[in-house]
Amino acid sequence: MARIKEFDEDAVLLKGMRLFWEQGYEKTSMQELVSHMGIHKGSMYDTFGDKHSLYIKTLKRYSEMLEQSVKRRMDVTRSAKEAIRMLFEMAIHQREEFPEGCFLVNTAVELAKRDSQARDWVHLNWASTEQLIRDLIVEGQQSGEFPKTHNAEWLSYYFNNALIGLRVMVKSTTNREKLSQIIEMTMSVLE
């Protein structure tokens, strides 16, 4: 007879994600994960697999959370420009229960060169962001909100790169005015 889990799998996964996010993959030991997540080592392996499997599951969960958050906020935006600005503002106004910066950016910097699964998750998410931005730019161009002089695909690369850079900046500065000015300058490309 299978044992009944005595913990909320998603809550425990979020605790593991937070620890990886704060410390990185290499610096985080299995013992730290077990302790931080509040479960037994056997339960950890039975539920999440080894450390690498857990890490990939936390990346997947982070991606889902990010997508849900963007979707919720997109539902209340009134224009393509407002939606693009919202993506940037999300990067600097993160919820307090999570570390500063972006878990995907951390993964790209730490693991993407040597871990194909981590690299695939990063590329998948960045491609998704580029597609979202490209769609918003096309929408803005069709409605007359943006000039049609720029290539929407190239602009999506530019804006995604700027967004990644902003997510890195968030980790290294508390100067919100500076971050806001970066957003303003980036958005001026659409004028």
Side-chain angles (χ1 to χ4, degrees):
M1 175 186 254
R3 291 182 58 191
I4 297 173
K5 289 184 183 160
E6 298 175 6
F7 57 88
D8 178 340
E9 192 173 322
D10 191 57
V12 169
L13 187 64
L14 290 175
K15 287 179 183 179
M17 180 181 72
R18 181 178 180 87
L19 190 61
F20 280 133
W21 195 340
E22 289 173 347
Q23 297 186 169
Y25 178 79
E26 294 296 335
K27 190 171 184 251
T28 304
S29 71
M30 277 302 280
Q31 186 54 49
E32 287 176 304
L33 285 163
V34 167
S35 176
H36 188 78
M37 294 166 72
I39 60 175
H40 299 288
K41 201 171 200 174
S43 294
M44 167 81 86
Y45 284 107
D46 289 345
T47 306
F48 303 109
D50 62 8
K51 177 181 165 182
H52 187 264
S53 296
L54 173 63
Y55 191 83
I56 298 302
K57 287 177 181 174
T58 63
L59 280 176
K60 182 178 188 279
R61 184 65 179 105
Y62 176 79
S63 301
E64 291 166 353
M65 290 170 48
L66 192 57
E67 185 179 320
Q68 290 167 359
S69 182
V70 167
K71 192 173 196 142
R72 272 194 312 274
R73 292 181 180 168
M74 286 287 173
D75 288 343
V76 297
T77 58
R78 292 180 297 278
S79 70
K81 188 172 189 176
E82 186 179 301
I84 293 170
R85 178 182 297 280
M86 180 269 311
L87 290 173
F88 283 86
E89 289 176 353
M90 281 179 64
I92 64 173
H93 300 292
Q94 198 162 346
R95 297 187 323 214
E96 291 180 13
E97 66 263 25
F98 293 112
E100 292 289 343
C102 174
F103 189 37
L104 286 167
V105 170
N106 295 356
T107 299
V109 171
E110 182 182 14
L111 297 175
K113 271 201 156 270
R114 64 182 188 279
D115 183 327
S116 62
Q117 281 186 290
R119 180 178 52 248
D120 290 348
W121 270 106
V122 169
H123 286 218
L124 178 70
N125 281 274
W126 288 352
S128 176
T129 300
E130 286 173 357
Q131 182 63 52
L132 172 62
I133 293 169
R134 186 170 33 256
D135 291 347
L136 289 168
I137 291 168
V138 168
E139 178 186 315
Q141 288 174 330
Q142 290 173 345
S143 71
E145 189 176 2
F146 306 141
K148 294 181 180 180
T149 54
H150 294 298
N151 180 298
E153 185 170 357
W154 296 352
L155 272 177
S156 73
Y157 302 157
Y158 168 80
F159 276 99
N160 191 45
N161 182 65
L163 183 56
I164 292 165
L166 186 64
R167 289 174 172 163
V168 172
M169 290 284 298
V170 165
K171 292 178 67 92
S172 62
T173 185
T174 57
N175 185 341
R176 296 296 187 215
E177 179 61 28
K178 180 178 183 177
L179 297 173
S180 293
Q181 289 305 315
I182 291 170
I183 293 173
E184 291 306 317
M185 189 58 157
T186 303
M187 295 300 295
S188 71
V189 169
L190 293 171
E191 296 171 1

